Amino acid sequence: MNLSDFPEHFRRLIREEDGCWHWIGSALRDTAVYTPSRGKGCSARRYAWEFVNGPTKLPFVTYTCDDPLCVHPEHALPVTGRRMLKLRQSR
């Protein structure tokens, strides 16, 4: 998946850095916030993951790299709330 495959309004809020797609748009407590035009706001990481993979029923999409604002879909992982807490405690 290339960044160029995403809509321009999403791409312009990303800076490619060390293999990650660092979010430079709005953020709330280390969560990248994305609001598509006339759409409901969501996590930018969830948007990127679902753009590539389709919808997930899991409530969270977390990062697997060292950048909490990375939205690269290959660095993302859908998880349950319990798994999310375990991952945050181990970081």
Side-chain angles (χ1 to χ4, degrees), residues 63-85:
Y63 59 98
T64 59
C65 59
D66 293 330
D67 181 358
L69 291 177
C70 178
V71 298
H72 196 305
E74 292 177 5
H75 300 183
L77 178 68
V79 294
T80 63
R82 176 174 282 170
R83 180 75 175 130
M84 178 74 120
L85 288 174

Side-chain angles (χ1 to χ4, degrees), residues 22-35:
H22 184 80
W23 185 254
I24 58 173
S26 299
L28 178 64
R29 288 176 284 179
D30 287 338
T31 299
V33 179
Y34 178 62
T35 306

Side-chain angles (χ1 to χ4, degrees), residues 6-7 9-10 34 36 42-52:
F6 284 81
H9 55 85
F10 183 79
Y34 178 62
C42 67
S43 153
R45 187 176 303 112
R46 174 178 287 278
Y47 175 84
W49 196 90
E50 290 186 348
F51 185 87
V52 173

Side-chain angles (χ1 to χ4, degrees), residues 11-15 17 21-27 32 69 71:
R11 288 192 319 258
R12 66 183 168 85
L13 297 171
I14 294 171
R15 182 179 66 234
E17 189 174 278
W21 294 357
H22 184 80
W23 185 254
I24 58 173
S26 299
L69 291 177
V71 298

